[in-house]
Amino acid sequence: MSALIELRDVERVYHNGEVTTQVLHGVSLEIQRGEFVAIIGQSGSGKTTLMNILGCLDRPTRGSYRFAGQEVGALDSNGLAALRRQGFGFVFQSYHLISSANALENVEIPAIYAGLPAAERHARAEELLTRLGLGERLGNRPSQLSGGQQQRVSIARALMNDAEVILADEPTGALDSRSGQEVLALLKELSAAGKTVIIITHDREVAAHADRLIEIRDGLIIADSGAGPAAPLAVTEAPRPVSERGIALADTGEAIRMALRALRANLFRTVLTLLGIVIGVASVVAMLAVGNGARQEVVERISSMGTNLLSVRPGAPNMRRSAEGVTATLTAEDARAVAELDNVTAALGESQGSATLRFGNVDYSTTITATNAGMPLVRDWGLASGAFFTEEDERDYATVTVIGQTVAKNLFPDTDPVGRYLLVQNVPFQVIGVMTAKGATPWGQDQDDVALVPSTTGSLRLFGQRHIQGITAYITDIGRIDATEENIRQLLIARHNGVEDFQIRNTASLLDAVTQTQDTLTVLLGSIAAISLLVGGIGVMNIMLVNVTERTREIGIRMATGARTGNILQQFITEALVVSAIGGVLGVLVGLGSAWTIGQLGTAVQFTLAPVVLAFGCAFAIGLIFGLMPARKAAHLDPVVALASD
């Protein structure tokens, strides 16, 4: 029968810069299944290096190592992890328990990486600990256990995956004599049950408990008592190591639970990391809500003026005004001609001026607008009470007026204005209607501070001129607004003897321009907020790098118990993602709360789903990106170096 472990001319050489140290010098060794072997040697003899090679924690520089007939040197890192997971259980001198996990969780670690379902591994870990006399200590952390109890937990962990080989490195070195004897008795029982037990020690009294004694000195085996009586084998065939990619964690939930436990162990540091993410996400959510609110407010105000309007103003660019400050190029006839064009529902010829209104003993200065009967349609401005003047009123030069809400409140605070007479530049006008509240323009002008009169009446009785200050055309089909604009241009050029002494403004284009400007400002606000989110991401990376440095030994423990590269990578990336996800959720809540508070103070705020998804998605992506480098660093640590870390 072939040996379980076969070493042929194994050498191990370490290189530290230009310094080369050879620890093992051509070691050859065979160990049969079921043997209880003690490898003894003083410090520096090479026994620990030999153990690391036997347990697949390290590779020989030269020579051959075969386990159960398979060449170990041909395995990649994940193949070695699979072999450690299936074939070996480690009992370390300093126990190497994870301080943030309790006894049950420490014992379960190998089974997690073996993919054993949670219920099964809980039951097996509890059974092993109970068998070893720790049934009442399942929830205790290592700091709450004595040295002997911690070593028993370490033994239970070594047995978790029913490994065929138990490797014990100075198993009694940190224990008192009583605890040491108990541990040795346990190892003896394991050997009797058919396990292959290998003890690494410098103590001959400890080595005497083994059936076979191998002595090593200066990297060479100098004595071997030979194979002792083998115990009855508990298995008929050793676990077959494989070179597959390894077994992933049982599920994502398990990875998240492990991440939460690790983060809880350093709660204050985790809170500081969360703070950076929270501030970043909250800033993005709040600033974009404010920016979108400001944009929506401007859009609504411009839209209230009408987006299907074409505004014609007199005078070409750089054209000089008259001495009275009026550019006299448009007439009421021009407005009527524009109204006859296709796709023009109505066209207003308007003039404006300031005047003092009087009712009783109250004087009030306001804006007088001379306009047409179609103004409510063109301006999308309804009546609160009364009626609007008609085309007949325009033809008759009627002295009637419709006033805005601001004028009504100042001249008629306690009286219904409709039917009342007021004086406009000492000309009596009858109030026939009151407009609904329009509010202020985007540039702050009060649209309700106005008195509207028929265009003919304004020209004859108030302004004393036939020219108008502008034409506003209401477009039927906004999809053809550009073509209609060109038609108006050509009509007016023809009417003005080939001279383009006017300017046309498209309110839809104005809305687009303002919207683009507001979008730019919103992006700017979001970019400023994103900087704080980026800083939070850098904080995640720094904390994760510190975690890797502080938990190097834990990483080594996980690798020794069968964790492959992907498992370590997954764990640390999951921790970064969990921090970012928690920070993202809290940041969204804080951002929404801040934006709501700002809205209560009078600032326009608009809540939409996109900024929330964007901010949370960015936080999650930052956790992934900034957590990747520390995770890769952890995943590529050397198991031997990691276990030796302080």
Side-chain angles (χ1 to χ4, degrees), residues 31 119 338 357 407 463 481 509 564 567 590 606 614 620:
I31 297 177
V338 169
L357 310 184
V407 176
F463 305 135
I481 192 170
S509 299
R564 63 187 180 96
N567 296 140
V590 172
Q606 183 182 34
L614 174 65
F620 207 73

Side-chain angles (χ1 to χ4, degrees), residues 338-555:
V338 169
E340 298 298 323
L341 288 174
D342 178 48
N343 199 38
V344 176
T345 303
L348 304 182
E350 296 180 321
S351 296
Q352 281 189 339
S354 298
T356 299
L357 310 184
R358 170 173 287 187
F359 176 74
N361 296 323
V362 180
D363 290 342
Y364 183 74
S365 295
T366 188
T367 300
I368 303 296
T369 299
T371 186
N372 305 129
M375 196 278 290
L377 172 65
V378 175
R379 299 295 188 192
D380 190 24
W381 196 357
L383 287 160
S385 60
F388 204 78
F389 48 79
T390 63
E391 292 181 0
E392 184 179 356
D393 291 328
E394 292 184 55
R395 288 194 298 270
D396 294 343
Y397 297 88
T399 53
V400 293
T401 182
V402 179
I403 60 176
Q405 289 285 338
T406 302
V407 176
K409 290 176 183 178
N410 282 279
L411 288 179
F412 306 97
D414 303 314
T415 307
D416 183 5
V418 178
R420 304 285 180 175
Y421 284 86
L422 53 74
L423 297 178
V424 182
Q425 293 182 347
N426 295 321
V427 178
F429 278 73
Q430 184 182 20
V431 179
I432 61 172
V434 179
M435 305 302 291
T436 58
K438 191 74 167 175
T441 64
W443 47 90
Q445 179 183 351
D446 184 2
Q447 298 179 88
D448 299 314
D449 191 5
V450 67
L452 307 171
V453 299
S455 59
T456 53
T457 305
S459 297
L460 177 66
R461 294 180 176 271
L462 301 179
F463 305 135
Q465 61 181 23
R466 61 181 296 271
H467 291 94
I468 58 178
Q469 295 175 350
I471 301 171
T472 303
Y474 181 84
I475 306 305
T476 306
D477 181 5
I478 195 172
R480 294 190 289 148
I481 192 170
D482 292 334
T484 305
E485 180 180 346
E486 182 59 26
N487 291 337
I488 293 174
R489 177 178 288 105
Q490 296 302 326
L491 171 68
L492 294 179
I493 289 175
R495 288 181 57 83
H496 294 189
N497 300 319
V499 179
E500 188 172 352
D501 52 1
F502 57 88
Q503 301 174 62
I504 303 178
R505 296 178 181 175
N506 188 329
T507 55
S509 299
L510 175 62
L511 178 61
D512 289 341
V514 172
T515 301
Q516 290 176 7
T517 301
Q518 287 298 123
D519 286 343
T520 301
L521 292 175
T522 301
V523 170
L524 179 61
L525 288 174
S527 299
I528 294 172
I531 292 174
S532 60
L533 189 56
L534 181 64
V535 172
I538 294 173
V540 170
M541 182 174 64
N542 288 337
I543 293 302
M544 294 309 298
L545 285 171
V546 171
N547 275 346
V548 170
T549 302
E550 289 187 348
R551 294 163 59 192
T552 299
R553 178 176 290 185
E554 176 189 332
I555 296 167

Side-chain angles (χ1 to χ4, degrees), residues 251-268:
D251 50 33
T252 303
E254 185 62 44
I256 293 174
R257 283 190 290 273
M258 291 168 65
L260 289 173
R261 186 174 64 214
L263 295 172
R264 190 169 58 244
N266 293 288
L267 188 59
F268 184 70

Side-chain angles (χ1 to χ4, degrees), residues 324-337:
E324 292 79 16
V326 177
T327 304
T329 62
L330 297 177
T331 64
E333 289 75 13
D334 289 334
R336 284 192 285 271

Side-chain angles (χ1 to χ4, degrees), residues 129-203:
L129 287 170
T130 301
R131 188 194 308 171
L132 295 175
L134 296 175
E136 297 180 355
R137 299 283 189 173
L138 303 181
N140 288 57
R141 293 189 179 183
S143 60
Q144 300 169 316
L145 300 173
S146 67
Q149 290 171 333
Q150 291 185 59
Q151 193 64 291
R152 287 171 182 267
V153 173
S154 180
I155 292 173
R157 182 180 63 194
L159 297 172
M160 185 65 192
N161 285 350
D162 198 25
E164 183 168 0
V165 178
I166 305 298
L167 275 170
D169 182 19
E170 299 284 4
T172 63
L175 302 178
D176 57 54
S177 58
R178 178 181 176 184
S179 297
Q181 290 301 317
E182 291 176 352
V183 167
L184 289 172
L186 284 173
L187 294 175
K188 193 75 173 178
E189 289 178 15
L190 294 174
S191 175
K195 299 296 181 184
T196 301
V197 179
I198 303 174
I199 296 177
I200 310 297
T201 183
H202 69 280
D203 190 337

Side-chain angles (χ1 to χ4, degrees), residues 611-624:
V612 173
V613 174
L614 174 65
F616 184 82
C618 287
F620 207 73
I622 279 175
L624 178 62

